[in-house]
Amino acid sequence: MKMTTCHDGGNLTADQVKEFGLAWTDLLHTDFSGSRSTSQFVGIVISEDKNVLLSVPKFFRERKGLKDAQLLLRVFESYKAHDTPNFTGNLDVIKTNIPLEDFETILNYYLQNGLYRKPKRTITSKGTGKINWKRTLQSEIPIFSNGNLIFKDLCRSQTQLMNNVVTLAMQYVLMNNQDLLRLLQVELKFSDCVGAPSTSVELERELSLRLHQELQETYVDKDRHLIHALVGFLNHHSAVGPKYIVTTTFDIIWEKIVLDYLNHNYAGLDKCRVVFSPHAPTYNFEYQKVFVIDFSQNGKPKWQIRPDYYMRFNDQQLIFDAKYYVNLDNLNYKQLVYGLLLGEGKRAVGLNTVNMLFAPTDGKTRSGEHISLLPEFAPTDRQVRIDIRWLNMNEMLNQFVSVTRWQN
């Protein structure tokens, strides 16, 4: 398995576009000349030859190849899985042609129990070894001799674990997705790989039908969950072509990552400057709080603003915004307007407004100043300022994953 790494917005060669089937997809941007293509996604694409294209977020410092891919998968899982207070963003921004939840169910079953094998119980008479006394008493007529009970035929119960269609389906799914297993650092036992069939659309249809029949004769919950997952995977995965687990809107994932960061690292204000600490108490910032700034003639809201993060307590109001940009050298007009609308006027009387942007970097996490409005352009005597917090992308992704695990 060969791994190629690029950045979201980075260049891709014509050979890479062809190998990973990116042409005519929304994962790619090609200039007007058709000679330059750039990645428009964050995620993983696996070619039919089992090679991997890893497109990492802007400012991510790629270092560990396979471990970088594993981190990205955990970030996607964390984004969809855990409940961040007040987050109302779209959880369906991750696109894949792999039924991940079904695959995870199948893989977890395998890691905990090995390949499925159906128990088959047989009863034999005149057996030796462990005797099934209940069956013996029920089926045999004892002989009385000198006050003793004598059983002529002793029954022996034996349970054997047999391979069946569920075993075959598990082998098929796991063996034909070893590229995913390598990314997850899972290795199959050699004995479990023997006899696994190769990819076949016809076989998948047959397996799905037989699994439905087997489900009617299965009553153990964990086994039923496994069969449902196998059917779901076989019916919804792509048997041919590249596999992908990607997002074309990593900016939404970044918004949730920053919200988690604020909730766990905001430590208050010091002389109107925001202080951050990993030992801070937990807060619940409001996400995309709606402020109606104008009504139409029928009394319905006409214009609204939605800061990414908002919190008000005592005489302080915090207006924060996440930015997933390569360059923030230009003035951020939207955040300036938010500060003027919410920080000035009648609603802001007695309030001290703190305005801040949060952007990724490949350097050290640090704070700075985005703009401090000259007094002659400020609507009042109060200072109008927007600060900026540069967040190291690698640290943020790792913290996001660790916070999720702690919460779960």
Side-chain angles (χ1 to χ4, degrees):
M1 180 177 68
K2 183 182 72 174
M3 179 172 290
T4 303
T5 302
C6 69
H7 278 86
D8 183 13
N11 293 334
L12 295 170
T13 67
D15 289 341
Q16 290 169 345
V17 171
K18 181 179 180 181
E19 178 182 3
F20 293 100
L22 301 179
W24 312 110
T25 70
D26 61 352
L27 307 183
L28 189 73
H29 174 73
T30 304
D31 63 10
F32 291 111
S33 67
S35 60
R36 183 172 178 270
S37 297
T38 55
S39 165
Q40 293 290 99
F41 72 97
V42 171
I44 297 165
V45 181
I46 304 173
S47 71
E48 291 189 274
D49 294 331
K50 310 304 181 186
N51 294 322
V52 176
L53 174 63
L54 174 65
S55 182
V56 297
K58 295 177 175 69
F59 297 102
F60 182 86
R61 285 194 175 185
E62 69 278 12
R63 297 172 180 172
K64 302 177 181 178
L66 189 61
K67 289 188 179 297
D68 290 342
Q70 293 163 359
L71 173 61
L72 206 53
L73 288 176
R74 292 201 301 273
V75 168
F76 286 171
E77 181 184 4
S78 298
Y79 176 78
K80 295 183 66 175
H82 84 290
D83 181 23
T84 298
N86 300 328
F87 183 77
T88 56
N90 182 10
L91 294 180
D92 296 326
V93 299
I94 299 162
K95 301 187 294 185
T96 179
N97 58 354
I98 305 168
L100 287 177
E101 291 184 7
D102 290 328
F103 187 77
E104 183 179 352
T105 299
I106 297 165
L107 181 57
N108 285 340
Y109 186 100
Y110 176 78
L111 294 175
Q112 294 173 17
N113 307 284
L115 283 179
Y116 173 87
R117 289 183 170 86
K118 188 173 184 177
K120 182 179 180 182
R121 189 182 180 195
T122 57
I123 303 293
T124 57
S125 59
K126 297 182 179 179
T128 58
K130 187 176 181 179
I131 305 302
N132 186 323
W133 286 108
K134 182 177 180 181
R135 184 65 178 264
T136 299
L137 290 170
Q138 290 175 342
S139 61
E140 298 298 322
I141 300 175
I143 301 172
F144 289 89
S145 175
N146 298 325
N148 297 315
L149 289 175
I150 299 175
F151 291 92
K152 183 179 178 183
D153 294 319
L154 300 176
C155 293
R156 184 185 179 194
S157 171
Q158 187 176 20
T159 300
Q160 292 179 303
L161 298 177
M162 312 292 292
N163 291 351
N164 72 345
V165 64
V166 181
T167 315
L168 182 63
M170 276 192 79
Q171 283 185 306
Y172 179 85
V173 170
L174 294 173
M175 278 295 295
N176 290 298
N177 288 278
Q178 289 200 72
D179 39 19
L180 276 178
L181 296 180
R182 290 191 190 100
L183 289 176
L184 298 171
Q185 288 188 309
V186 175
E187 187 173 346
L188 300 178
K189 294 179 181 178
F190 177 77
S191 58
D192 292 338
C193 302
V194 178
S198 57
T199 303
S200 166
V201 175
E202 291 76 16
L203 177 59
E204 289 183 9
R205 292 172 183 164
E206 181 184 349
L207 286 173
S208 183
L209 290 173
R210 291 174 61 189
L211 285 170
H212 277 294
Q213 297 171 357
E214 185 67 27
L215 190 61
Q216 307 305 314
E217 303 173 6
T218 304
Y219 306 101
V220 178
D221 285 343
K222 70 173 184 178
D223 297 339
R224 291 182 62 85
H225 290 322
L226 170 65
I227 296 174
H228 278 299
L230 288 167
V231 172
F233 187 92
L234 293 172
N235 288 344
H236 296 102
H237 89 114
S238 178
V240 295
K243 302 171 186 173
Y244 57 85
I245 310 169
V246 301
T247 178
T248 55
T249 52
F250 188 80
D251 54 316
I252 298 178
I253 297 178
W254 178 248
E255 288 178 4
K256 190 172 187 180
I257 291 173
V258 172
L259 180 58
D260 254 1
Y261 174 80
L262 290 173
N263 285 342
H264 293 91
N265 291 271
Y266 172 75
L269 301 174
D270 181 18
K271 297 179 181 178
C272 296
R273 299 283 184 177
V274 184
V275 179
F276 297 93
S277 169
H279 308 294
T282 300
Y283 288 89
N284 289 331
F285 276 80
E286 295 185 73
Y287 175 75
Q288 294 195 345
K289 180 178 175 64
V290 176
F291 294 91
V292 178
I293 60 174
D294 189 20
F295 288 91
S296 59
Q297 292 182 348
N298 60 9
K300 293 184 178 180
K302 182 180 181 181
W303 298 109
Q304 302 173 347
I305 59 173
R306 294 171 178 259
D308 282 347
Y309 319 107
Y310 182 85
M311 185 165 64
R312 175 177 171 176
F313 57 93
N314 300 327
D315 61 345
Q316 308 285 343
Q317 70 169 346
L318 310 179
I319 308 169
F320 295 161
D321 210 65
K323 300 298 177 188
Y324 179 62
Y325 292 167
V326 172
N327 191 337
L328 263 178
D329 291 339
N330 296 326
L331 175 62
N332 193 276
Y333 295 99
K334 185 181 77 169
Q335 196 67 11
L336 179 60
V337 170
Y338 284 176
L340 293 174
L341 290 175
L342 299 176
E344 305 297 333
K346 294 180 180 179
R347 74 167 304 280
V349 173
L351 283 180
N352 177 49
T353 299
V354 180
N355 201 337
M356 196 170 204
L357 301 172
F358 293 81
T361 180
D362 57 0
K364 184 179 179 181
T365 294
R366 64 196 187 277
S367 296
E369 190 175 275
H370 179 63
I371 182 177
S372 182
L373 209 60
L374 293 173
E376 57 263 36
F377 294 100
T380 66
D381 292 336
R382 292 191 294 185
Q383 183 185 28
V384 176
R385 189 186 72 238
I386 301 176
D387 291 330
I388 186 167
R389 180 74 168 171
W390 299 102
L391 299 168
N392 180 274
M393 177 61 81
N394 290 56
E395 292 176 0
M396 291 295 289
L397 298 188
N398 280 285
Q399 180 176 318
F400 183 60
V401 170
S402 64
V403 167
T404 302
R405 289 185 170 180
W406 178 80
Q407 288 178 342
N408 290 341

